[in-house]
Amino acid sequence: MSPRFSLGIYKLCHALQFLHITHKNLSFFSSAFSLALFLSQKGPSFISQGNLERKKERMVKICCIGAGYVGGPTMAVIALKCPSIEVAVVDISKPRIAAWNSDQLPIYEPGLDAVVKECRGRNLFFSTDVEKHVFEADIVFVSVNTPTKTQGLGAGKAADLTYWESAARMIADVSKSDKIVVEKSTVPVKTAEAIEKILTHNSKGIKFQILSNPEFLAEGTAIEDLFKPDRVLIGGRETPEGQKALQTLKEVYAHWVPEERILTTNLWSAELSKLAANAFLAQRISSVNAMSALCEATGANIQQVSFAVGTDTRIGPKFLNASVGFGGSCFQKDILNLVYICECNGLPEVAEYWKQVIKINDYQKSRFVNRVVSSMFNTVSSKKIAILGFAFKKDTGDTRETPAIDVCKGLLGDKANLSIYDPQVTEDQIQRDLSMNKFDWDHPIHLQPTSPSTVKKVSVVWDAYEATKDAHGICMLTEWDEFKTLDYQRIYENMQKPAFVFDGRNIVDADKLRDIGFIVYSIGKPLDAWLKDMPAVA
Ligand code: NAI
């Protein structure tokens, strides 16, 4: 099924679902009313008019600072599911907000367009007027980036909370009424305490309640994940005020999330659970990738091993695909952060344990590059290599920490000429990624190097056939569905011989490709005779 067709079906389903929701609005009114009532108990700052009728009319206002991959989709879904709540998403980046207000949203995410179109201008607004919307809000989500520090204490590991702190100071400056401040960004444990200090030291008598509400969505399936989350986690202070604030946020989610899926904890547990969840997920990928190396050495097949392992109900089948490595803005950053926290808490053994997850990920990427180079007579100098897929996973245009960056840099280091095709990533983004230093990518664009030098041996094309024409080899680095159905006979005919395919995602039918004439490398699977005879790569 083509992505466009799937999107059409998705939109249709969504429209039907929305009808159902509007039908259910009657029940929403009662929860919206109880929410308004709760807020009214917080005094005149939340609901200025004393009479009940006015309270009923008063719309609860949410403001989210940070219109990125988390802030945008999360708030769009809150607006869709809670018509009685007004949601403003604000950002310091003018181009980003302009894109949110246009037909070309700044991020690609299946189903997102339909949700935004439904609510934008109704109860969902995107704005650069950060202060105005924070001033007006009852609940302020903070969903700014929390990159790895590049300089100073903890550089290369600790989370850089510069953006968080400046958002907190701004909230303290502009607020004239009590507010609930919600940590949506992934932050180190105990960040809430620091934020609380900033807010209360500047509070002018205003009461702030801090909640931790980490986001578990996965890019590529964000809308699905937000519609049906496995769980929503909210941490709050164990004081009456803290619990009240927690209840308020719980009622927002209760518009569409079953109560038993809304978990409540103390602040620190919520903060740590997010880091722990990402560490466990990344660890699973590194575990299966470590096994993939052993499979290649022994003749075992990682897909068979994963299946056999995953049928154990204690382990489960998900997240057991071997690949060229994990990427994305979170896994590495959050594990590094966890490592740093462990070190700061005098737990070097625990830090060392988690560090290994990243080491295996780096090993897997360099192992892949070595495999490519060694298979092609130990040199790729001046050879054209087609790179199919640059995003860190399918169904997103996000390239943050994508394994493609390290693989491309490795091949460029051996003087290859790269021809790159990804259905969602622009040439500008690819050039930026390949010329930027590690960790610079997660800073706002105005803080990134102004004119990244163009990497000359890289061309970016808009078609897989163009990318592979006259190439010596193909590296499949993202599991886009369209790569499964390419005309590989045609591709083979237009390539140099011997023609190689290095499948970093195990998406092609290797036997079929071998029948055509390709030499195929699939991660963790028994090696072609050709590859076996080449020098060891580990
Ligand atoms: P992002 O980089 O896409 O968006 C962050 C936005 O915050 C940027 O547009 C930036 O301009 C804006 N910003 C920074 N400082 C600001 C300020 N003072 N005032 C207004 N706007 C400001 O980041 P993304 O991916 O949305 O991540 C946000 C947080 O959520 C991070 O902590 C991340 O670890 C976490 N997270 C990310 C997930 C993902 O899949 N991307 C999933 C779950 C959590």
Side-chain angles (χ1 to χ4, degrees), residues 64-73 90-93 96 100 107 130 142-147 162-168 170 184-187 214-219 222 274 278 328-330 333-334 392 398 400 441-446:
C64 175
I65 306 176
Y69 285 86
V70 169
V90 297
D91 203 295
I92 40 177
S93 162
R96 211 161 203 185
W100 278 111
I107 62 176
V130 182
V142 184
S143 185
V144 299
N145 31 343
T146 48
T162 315
Y163 305 106
W164 231 110
E165 185 177 335
S166 86
M170 185 271 300
K184 200 46 148 168
S185 305
T186 305
V187 290
E215 184 49 58
F216 294 103
L217 67 78
E219 286 178 32
K274 174 64 191 175
N278 274 354
S329 70
C330 297
K333 161 177 86 76
D334 294 348
F392 84 94
D398 196 353
R400 295 178 292 180
W441 50 267
D442 203 13
H443 291 269
I445 230 148
H446 63 273

Side-chain angles (χ1 to χ4, degrees), residues 7 82 136 258 291-292 468 526 532 536:
L7 188 59
C82 312
E136 289 177 355
M291 283 298 161
S292 76
T468 52
K532 261 192 211 150

Side-chain angles (χ1 to χ4, degrees), residues 284-354:
R284 223 169 137 95
I285 298 177
S286 280
S287 297
V288 78
N289 283 343
M291 283 298 161
S292 76
L294 190 56
C295 283
E296 286 168 33
T298 57
N301 181 326
I302 192 64
Q303 270 175 340
Q304 293 171 353
V305 173
S306 293
F307 182 75
V309 170
T311 45
D312 185 327
T313 50
R314 292 168 303 175
I315 297 172
K318 290 186 181 169
F319 245 63
L320 283 179
N321 288 331
S323 70
V324 60
F326 60 73
S329 70
C330 297
F331 284 174
Q332 174 164 302
K333 161 177 86 76
D334 294 348
I335 293 178
L336 286 171
N337 188 354
L338 189 65
V339 166
Y340 184 68
I341 295 169
C342 292
E343 285 171 354
C344 292
N345 281 283
L347 301 168
E349 290 81 2
V350 185
E352 209 46 49
Y353 174 78
W354 288 112

Side-chain angles (χ1 to χ4, degrees), residues 68-179:
Y69 285 86
V70 169
T74 317
M75 292 302 126
V77 169
I78 290 185
L80 180 79
K81 301 289 188 183
C82 312
S84 55
I85 296 178
E86 187 180 300
V87 182
V89 191
V90 297
D91 203 295
I92 40 177
S93 162
K94 285 185 181 154
R96 211 161 203 185
I97 290 297
W100 278 111
N101 282 320
S102 75
D103 285 339
Q104 194 67 49
L105 300 185
I107 62 176
Y108 172 71
E109 192 62 63
L112 178 64
D113 275 32
V115 176
V116 170
K117 275 186 190 139
E118 193 73 54
C119 320
R120 199 172 51 194
R122 182 190 74 185
N123 65 331
L124 175 66
F125 304 92
F126 295 94
S127 168
T128 47
D129 199 343
V130 182
E131 299 187 353
K132 169 180 175 278
H133 289 285
V134 169
F135 168 80
E136 289 177 355
D138 306 308
I139 303 173
V140 181
F141 283 83
V142 184
S143 185
V144 299
N145 31 343
T146 48
T148 304
K149 268 184 97 170
T150 47
Q151 287 175 355
L153 189 65
K157 276 186 275 191
D160 183 346
L161 294 178
T162 315
Y163 305 106
W164 231 110
E165 185 177 335
S166 86
R169 287 185 188 281
M170 185 271 300
I171 296 171
D173 280 351
V174 305
S175 294
K176 297 268 184 294
S177 59
D178 295 358
K179 294 191 195 308

